[in-house]
Amino acid sequence: MWNVHGRVENANGFFYIRKLNNVRICSAEVRMMNRPHMSSDLVADLIVEGVRDNPLTRPVHVVRDFKFGYGLRVSYHQAWLGVEKAKGEIFGDYLMSFDQLRWYVDVAKSCNPGSYIEFECDDDTKRFKRLFVSFHCSISGFNYCRPLLFLDGTFLKGRFRGNLLVATGKDGNQGFFPVCFAVVGSENQDNWHRNLGLVEVLPKVFPMAVHAYCLYHLKMNLRHHLRGMFYGLKEKLITLFGKCAYAPTEETFHQCLVELKTKDGSRVEKFLDDIPYDHWSNAYFRGQRFGEIWSNVTESFNSWIQEERHLPITKLIDSVRIKLMRKIAKRRELVNKWNGLICPKMVSKLHDGFNTSRPWIVSSFGNDVYEVHSHPSVSVDISRRICSCGELQLKGFPCTHAVGAIQKSGHDLSLFVDQYFYIQSYQESYSFPIYHVPSIWKPDCNVDGDSEVVLPPLSKKQPGRPNKKRIRSNGEKVRQITCSRCGKVGNHNKKSCKEAL
């Protein structure tokens, strides 16, 4: 008996309910929240704007929103299909996006002269192999940044997975500066040539450069190497390892190293055998790291493109281009508001050094050589830019002792700061434009008009720990956890774990 009748009024476009008989005679048992007409197409239509605002929308979010927003129960499969269709409508098809690269690469290079964009696919299988992208603005702007490259890779989250390899620099104000990136089917030595193969390939690509490992990843590897050890001792060893890495002089380094090996000699020595000192310690590093011992700048880039990692490949590349274009424009506006010679963050470091060195007594020995009576006291040679603490040589930036000595000498402090930290260099690094790529030229079919299209790479299952499960008597799946200390499966008390050790 329940029915409703309504119509749209042409005069104002409003929907009017003309008749409503709100009487239900069906029992509660037959009222169901599942609706057979709630297809994935309808789900896609309802969530398309939400997906446009948030490309990271997940099917579980759709199921929850339909439950609380509409009072309807949508299956996970319907929600997943709806999300995929909405993404396809907004960002394009994942499959055809690989073939659209042929069009995009040509147009992007013609619109941005001086850019290096190379796209490769397998001649036999016609499957995607790799794509390398470095825009002209990044290539030319890097000349005014510190000569440091931070290399890392991350997984893509789209339907066909793959890896994103990135090389990032740092500008004069400590901000990350994207230099180039590549999308590859997998992270291997061949792809890094154009960490499995990175260490082997670096001497070939950069024969005159020196390479250092990220301290964060080394600590994570050491923590894994010391698994099963008492937690307090393990963390103490990791802290001592960090002190060795930061030690600016060989004497300080070996003092920390002796203490480190004394605590647990055999396991730590075995770990250190695989990593030469010049690849991780400040004291033995053969180049200049400008105080950089972490590769967290690449993590900043990965966070910067967190949403884009879920997009089809052509949309991914163009979205990174757009973000880079906006970043350049924003930093151009920012630098126009600065005054002075040195970038603000580096000026702040100079002020901190000045405030720290104010209580110290500085004695002159002539020829711009000074002794700073700190704890401990050090000698500073201003003309040669050498401090016995070692930090001035490592960072290319006045340490606290050097700031005190320079102030005593009466010289201009800014003259002892490397050019990379000058506002002028910062301005030059963002002075090169990046241009738009009009999608109006985008063809409706494959570029050459032939029947062959570029296919996606064969996606591989990402490495990870298998999820072991068992079945309860009621049919419910339960995850089983293996103890990392004794290897037993399931819950057990600490006593049995210690006995196993």
Side-chain angles (χ1 to χ4, degrees):
M1 295 178 61
W2 184 92
N3 64 82
V4 60
H5 174 71
R7 59 190 292 267
V8 177
E9 188 67 39
N10 293 331
N12 55 16
F14 289 1
F15 187 89
Y16 290 92
I17 295 179
R18 300 300 185 183
K19 182 179 179 182
L20 172 64
N21 184 17
N22 200 24
V23 178
R24 298 183 178 89
I25 61 173
C26 57
S27 62
E29 288 78 7
V30 300
R31 299 177 187 172
M32 302 178 65
M33 297 174 64
N34 294 324
R35 292 293 183 268
H37 298 295
M38 183 59 68
S39 64
S40 59
D41 291 331
L42 181 55
V43 172
D45 290 340
L46 293 173
I47 68 173
V48 65
E49 293 304 322
V51 173
R52 191 189 308 275
D53 295 336
N54 180 20
L56 301 182
T57 300
R58 299 173 58 192
V60 291
H61 299 153
V62 176
V63 173
R64 180 196 61 197
D65 293 343
F66 272 75
K67 170 73 174 177
F68 295 105
Y70 300 101
L72 298 176
R73 185 181 295 118
V74 179
S75 68
Y76 183 89
H77 182 66
Q78 283 178 312
W80 181 84
L81 285 175
V83 171
E84 291 298 309
K85 290 179 179 179
K87 287 183 177 179
E89 180 180 342
I90 300 170
F91 307 118
D93 183 77
Y94 278 95
L95 181 63
M96 294 305 300
S97 183
F98 287 92
D99 190 63
Q100 292 167 1
L101 281 175
R102 297 190 289 176
W103 158 81
Y104 183 85
V105 167
D106 292 337
V107 176
K109 287 196 291 188
S110 63
C111 293
N112 293 271
S115 299
Y116 189 85
I117 307 175
E118 292 297 325
F119 165 52
E120 295 183 33
C121 65
D122 191 282
D123 294 333
D124 297 328
T125 63
K126 300 300 180 183
R127 290 195 178 275
F128 170 87
K129 287 182 66 176
R130 62 176 69 91
L131 173 70
F132 179 89
V133 180
S134 185
F135 291 104
H136 174 256
C137 62
S138 298
I139 297 173
S140 300
F142 181 67
N143 291 326
Y144 299 92
C145 298
R146 284 171 288 173
L148 286 174
L149 278 178
F150 302 84
L151 308 178
D152 198 7
T154 185
F155 292 115
L156 295 178
K157 302 294 185 179
R159 182 185 301 176
F160 298 102
R161 304 300 179 182
N163 295 79
L164 182 75
L165 312 181
V166 58
T168 311
K170 261 193 173 184
D171 59 38
N173 201 42
Q174 298 290 77
F176 72 92
F177 186 90
V179 178
C180 61
F181 60 95
V183 178
V184 298
S186 61
E187 185 180 3
N188 55 40
Q189 182 171 341
D190 185 38
N191 284 325
W192 264 120
H193 188 267
R194 292 230 200 133
N195 81 354
L196 295 174
L198 179 58
V199 176
E200 292 83 356
V201 165
L202 272 172
K204 301 176 183 178
V205 180
F206 301 107
M208 303 301 294
V210 287
H211 173 236
Y213 302 126
C214 171
L215 180 59
Y216 172 79
H217 292 95
L218 286 177
K219 284 185 174 182
M220 295 296 292
N221 292 341
L222 179 58
R223 182 174 279 107
H224 178 74
H225 182 77
L226 299 177
R227 62 188 183 278
M229 181 181 289
F230 177 65
Y231 178 81
L233 177 58
K234 179 169 62 175
E235 294 302 313
K236 176 67 175 177
L237 292 174
I238 293 172
T239 301
L240 289 173
F241 177 73
K243 288 183 178 181
C244 291
Y246 277 107
T249 62
E250 295 183 14
E251 293 77 11
T252 309
F253 171 80
H254 284 286
Q255 289 176 4
C256 297
L257 187 63
V258 169
E259 185 179 0
L260 174 63
K261 292 182 177 181
T262 302
K263 295 292 183 181
D264 189 82
S266 57
R267 298 183 69 173
V268 173
E269 273 197 73
K270 185 178 179 181
F271 176 79
L272 295 178
D273 286 342
D274 299 329
I275 48 174
Y277 293 162
D278 57 337
H279 283 316
W280 62 278
S281 69
N282 277 334
Y284 283 91
F285 188 68
R286 298 192 303 271
Q288 191 172 19
R289 300 174 71 172
F290 295 92
E292 302 291 345
I293 202 166
W294 301 70
S295 63
N296 52 0
V297 64
T298 56
E299 301 300 331
S300 299
F301 180 87
N302 294 339
S303 300
W304 189 56
I305 61 164
Q306 183 177 4
E307 293 185 358
E308 285 71 22
R309 289 164 59 192
H310 295 255
L311 301 179
I313 185 168
T314 301
K315 186 65 177 179
L316 160 67
I317 303 303
D318 197 54
S319 298
V320 174
R321 178 194 61 82
I322 294 173
K323 297 194 79 167
L324 186 58
M325 181 172 61
R326 292 172 177 169
K327 186 183 188 67
I328 291 174
K330 184 178 179 180
R331 293 194 171 177
R332 278 183 193 158
E333 296 177 1
L334 180 65
V335 73
N336 290 332
K337 301 176 183 178
W338 293 348
N339 298 314
L341 293 175
I342 303 174
C343 294
K345 287 188 177 179
M346 310 315 293
V347 170
S348 178
K349 289 190 175 183
L350 289 177
H351 287 165
D352 293 341
F354 174 72
N355 292 330
T356 303
S357 64
R358 289 178 67 181
W360 297 340
I361 299 174
V362 180
S363 303
S364 174
F365 290 94
N367 298 325
D368 282 336
V369 178
Y370 296 85
E371 180 178 358
V372 181
H373 301 277
S374 57
H375 303 285
S377 62
V378 298
S379 63
V380 180
D381 189 334
I382 294 178
S383 59
R384 297 172 59 195
R385 298 194 180 189
I386 295 176
C387 180
S388 58
C389 76
E391 290 193 12
L392 179 58
Q393 302 88 289
L394 287 172
K395 297 182 179 180
F397 191 83
C399 62
T400 306
H401 310 109
V403 170
I406 295 170
Q407 290 287 338
K408 175 71 173 180
S409 68
H411 291 297
D412 186 355
L413 192 58
S414 62
L415 297 178
F416 297 86
V417 177
D418 280 351
Q419 60 177 349
Y420 306 110
F421 303 114
Y422 276 43
I423 290 178
Q424 180 64 31
S425 296
Y426 184 94
Q427 196 170 23
E428 292 288 346
S429 63
Y430 292 103
S431 63
F432 302 93
I434 182 171
Y435 298 102
H436 61 287
V437 180
S439 60
I440 192 172
W441 298 334
K442 180 179 178 181
D444 295 331
C445 56
N446 60 317
V447 179
D448 299 330
D450 54 25
S451 58
E452 292 184 346
V453 297
V454 177
L455 300 174
L458 294 174
S459 57
K460 297 181 180 179
K461 189 176 185 292
Q462 294 180 2
R465 187 174 176 179
N467 197 12
K468 298 181 179 180
K469 295 182 178 180
R470 61 184 176 88
I471 308 297
R472 283 180 177 168
S473 57
N474 60 1
E476 180 184 358
K477 290 183 178 180
V478 180
R479 182 183 176 189
Q480 285 187 332
I481 301 177
T482 303
C483 178
S484 60
R485 300 183 69 184
C486 67
K488 288 190 175 182
V489 178
N491 295 328
H492 62 282
N493 56 40
K494 296 181 180 179
K495 182 178 180 182
S496 62
C497 185
K498 290 180 180 179
E499 290 174 353
L501 292 176

